[in-house]
Amino acid sequence: MGAVMSVEEIVGSLESGMTIGIGGWGSRRKPMALVRAICRSSLTDLTIVSYGGPDVGLLCAAGKVRRVAAPFVTLDSIALEPHFRAARQSGAVHFTEYDEGMFMFGLLAAAHRLPFLPTRAGLGSDVMRVNPGLRTVRSPFEDGEELVAVPALTLDAALVHLDLADTRGNGQYLGPDPYMDDLFAKAAVRCYLSCERMVEPGELAGPPQTLLVSRMHVTGVAETPNGGHFTDRGPGQPRDEAFQRHYAASAAGPEAWAEFTGRFLSGDEAAYQEAVRQWHEEERR
Amino acid sequence: MNGATRAEVCVVACAEAWRGDGEMLAAAMGTCSILGARLARLTFEPGLLTTDGGALLTAEPVPLGAPAGAVEGWLPFREHLWLVQNGRRHVMMGASQIDRHGNTNISAIGDWARPSSQLLGARGAPGNTICNPTSYWIPRHSTRVFVPKVDMVSGVGFDRAAELGPEASRFHALRRVVTDLGVFDFRTPDGSMRLVSVHPGVDVGQVSAATGFDLEIGGDVPETRRPTDEELRLIREVLDPASARDREVRA
């Protein structure tokens, strides 16, 4: 049963060198409070498995990442993630580049404790060239078709962010898309769940099919109000586009980025939220 | 009629990509392409399914950027990726590079191991091209985009598909490429790119000069068809009253 934990306790239980899956998609419902806490931690040498967005960018900028496994890294309303680009172009991170569907099959394989799953996605493309470890598998049936064997994307830990969760670690999403968060939870040895708001068991109202993540897969749950900021969350909590633009613009050079980190990322989560509030107040003037 | 702008010609040329598709998802990226999908559904291809740009299949085609309104289905990313495998989907993607056999790159420019410019990553391009019909919308036709050889094959072209053999490539189908200059397809013996039509005001020499490889060009290249009055009304008054299309393709 998921234990209620603090953000610091969750990040304190992770180890350098781990393979960590991060839920959400692009700049949508990312566990940003947990990502910010990893940036503050002493963790290094991480492999990040993600439908990548600013989670990947921030961790690259903080020097936490050895390898990124992803089909893309984007901020959605801003096509290219500037810190991920910089890390790739300087050779600072290794990249395992997959097709989106291939990537889902890797998570599905891990969730089912299978060594691989077959798919057509990837055949004929340079995804096969840049991942020389990928293999194909031939159908044993009459068709004899050759397919990509996507290896299981088994995770040491998964970090996901849901709109609501209960104190046992059951998680609920309120927006139109669950993304792949349940698959990340099932593909991981341990899953940590953060939520915008925490309720008592039995208080997660609404259609049962929105109860996406089960406590049987959750090791720890933390309440992180506005913890998905600045990404898009459920209804009424759209992406903070102005702040995302500020984040992206601040990646332009070392001075601008030092100013951004000094102002927003040098304190704890409460300090971040307060600094964002003040920034918006200044912008309104 | 014809005060149609270049962007409006492009919207209609994109719409034509889905002609004859019947009941399948018209997936689109880029303003003129999204408008094209919705225009096709509003006119000659009413069976198409279109989205709100997110996880919702809308009951009717909605204006660009408008809320979904009434909904007829649910298509979160996991279902969308499943649909790619299932094949009842014709996607029109963008491309940072494309070669004469229709190989495309949205991943990275330069040496992949340490790119001079990291782009999006392969996204769904490998699966799209090998599993369901694919077209491309390229708003700025230039020799930077139309290159002899792409730096990374994210989207699979006809030569790569042929190497895979008939079994593995049986769902590979590149339909057409629409740019701000013209319309192209691959209906040649070796699946190399062919100029189908030039947009009004564009000449064939201009297209050749903006293309970094030899196009198949027939003797008499027709002009891309102009929008009908009804299509212009739908584009201007219903689907894109704020003229987002003119920010993608200059008038």
Side-chain angles (χ1 to χ4, degrees):
Chain A
M1 201 178 292
V4 176
M5 295 172 79
S6 69
V7 163
E8 283 67 29
E9 285 170 333
I10 290 173
V11 171
S13 77
L14 304 176
E15 291 159 34
S16 291
M18 274 187 163
T19 295
I20 297 179
I22 302 182
W25 177 290
S27 188
R28 307 168 204 224
R29 219 181 65 234
K30 286 286 178 178
M32 296 301 284
L34 291 170
V35 168
R36 288 186 280 268
I38 294 176
C39 290
R40 292 194 298 273
S41 75
S42 59
L43 292 169
T44 59
D45 209 28
L46 301 175
T47 291
I48 301 297
V49 177
S50 176
Y51 285 98
D55 52 331
V56 171
L58 271 173
L59 292 169
C60 285
K64 300 299 183 188
V65 184
R66 185 176 67 86
R67 178 177 294 279
V68 175
F72 58 74
V73 183
T74 180
L75 299 174
D76 292 314
S77 52
I78 298 169
L80 306 181
E81 214 304 331
H83 291 297
F84 173 67
R85 295 191 81 195
R88 277 280 284 148
Q89 290 165 200
S90 70
V93 296
H94 298 285
F95 188 27
T96 302
E97 182 171 352
Y98 276 5
D99 164 84
E100 290 173 6
M102 246 182 141
F103 195 81
M104 180 171 77
F105 274 46
L107 292 173
L108 279 168
H112 290 82
R113 302 187 294 179
L114 291 168
F116 69 90
L117 279 172
T119 179
R120 281 187 195 90
L123 290 175
S125 79
D126 275 347
V127 163
M128 305 302 287
R129 171 175 67 87
V130 302
N131 293 297
L134 277 177
R135 297 282 182 269
T136 58
V137 61
R138 192 171 291 284
S139 164
F141 302 106
E142 268 177 34
D143 55 86
E145 196 170 341
E146 193 175 14
L147 299 157
V148 179
V150 189
L153 281 168
T154 303
L155 310 168
D156 295 313
L159 309 175
V160 301
H161 185 73
L162 277 290
D163 300 293
L164 294 173
D166 69 21
T167 53
R168 292 174 178 168
N170 295 299
Q172 181 176 39
Y173 72 107
L174 300 180
D177 202 318
Y179 310 120
M180 307 293 174
D181 288 2
D182 51 333
L183 298 184
F184 278 96
K186 291 167 184 164
V189 178
R190 290 184 276 155
C191 175
Y192 297 100
L193 166 61
S194 65
C195 61
E196 294 287 307
R197 195 160 64 81
M198 193 182 287
V199 299
E200 292 301 315
E203 290 183 359
L204 292 170
Q209 60 268 33
T210 63
L211 299 171
L212 183 68
V213 174
S214 165
R215 65 184 168 88
M216 75 178 88
H217 295 117
V218 173
T219 299
V221 54
E223 187 178 42
T224 59
N226 215 27
H229 183 272
F230 48 92
T231 67
D232 179 82
R233 283 149 284 159
Q237 292 190 292
R239 184 178 304 126
D240 186 344
E241 297 286 3
F243 190 81
Q244 175 164 289
R245 279 195 297 277
H246 182 54
Y247 161 81
S250 300
E255 277 177 33
W257 186 243
E259 195 178 318
F260 185 93
T261 51
R263 180 164 184 184
F264 298 105
L265 301 175
S266 50
D268 63 8
E269 179 66 14
Y272 170 83
Q273 296 292 345
E274 175 57 19
V276 170
R277 193 192 63 74
Q278 283 181 15
W279 182 84
H280 274 293
E281 207 165 85
E282 284 166 29
E283 291 295 296
R284 272 193 295 272
R285 277 187 208 134
Chain B
M1 138 152 227
N2 279 294
T5 65
R6 180 65 57 79
E8 288 159 349
V9 170
C10 290
V11 170
V12 170
C14 287
E16 286 287 342
W18 286 284
R19 188 182 284 276
D21 279 346
E23 218 151 4
M24 63 163 69
L25 180 73
M29 295 115 200
T31 300
C32 289
S33 171
I34 291 168
L35 289 170
R38 295 177 189 180
L39 180 68
R41 186 180 173 191
L42 278 174
T43 54
F44 55 80
E45 209 56 49
L48 292 174
L49 292 92
T50 55
T51 72
D52 66 338
L56 303 176
L57 292 165
T58 59
E60 302 298 333
V62 292
L64 206 64
V71 164
E72 65 172 339
W74 185 46
L75 198 72
F77 284 120
R78 62 181 63 199
E79 291 297 317
H80 208 128
L81 295 180
W82 167 85
L83 185 62
V84 170
Q85 308 271 330
N86 176 265
R88 291 211 59 80
R89 174 178 183 268
H90 177 175
V91 63
M92 188 173 239
M93 294 191 288
S96 300
Q97 294 179 321
I98 185 166
D99 71 18
R100 65 190 292 263
H101 286 112
N103 296 292
T104 57
N105 177 18
I106 53 172
S107 292
I109 302 294
D111 175 17
W112 182 89
R114 188 168 169 179
S116 56
S117 182
Q118 172 65 41
L119 305 174
L120 280 169
R123 289 220 73 147
N128 287 344
T129 46
I130 209 68
C131 294
N132 58 205
T134 301
S135 293
Y136 290 97
W137 159 237
I138 295 167
R140 267 181 223 165
H141 191 132
S142 80
T143 52
R144 286 168 59 93
V145 180
F146 287 74
V147 294
K149 190 175 189 307
V150 304
D151 295 341
M152 154 107 190
V153 176
S154 338
V156 177
F158 277 98
D159 54 346
R160 291 288 192 105
E163 280 170 30
L164 289 172
E167 276 298 312
S169 65
R170 67 192 190 276
F171 304 122
H172 178 268
L174 301 188
R175 293 280 171 80
R176 64 163 52 190
V177 178
V178 180
T179 78
D180 57 336
L181 299 182
V183 178
F184 309 82
D185 68 14
F186 301 90
R187 290 186 189 176
T188 50
D190 66 341
S192 59
M193 201 185 296
R194 180 179 76 129
L195 177 59
V196 174
S197 67
V198 288
H199 298 335
V202 177
D203 68 55
V204 173
Q206 198 182 336
V207 176
S208 296
T211 304
F213 52 82
D214 285 339
L215 283 164
E216 299 291 328
I217 300 176
D220 206 6
V221 178
E223 196 173 80
T224 309
R225 87 164 171 88
R226 292 166 193 258
T228 65
D229 289 352
E230 174 62 2
E231 284 170 336
L232 279 182
R233 187 188 69 78
L234 289 168
I235 294 168
R236 292 174 180 176
E237 295 175 23
V238 178
L239 291 174
D240 186 26
S243 291
R245 62 192 179 280
D246 292 330
R247 289 193 291 279
E248 193 172 58
V249 177
R250 305 285 170 198

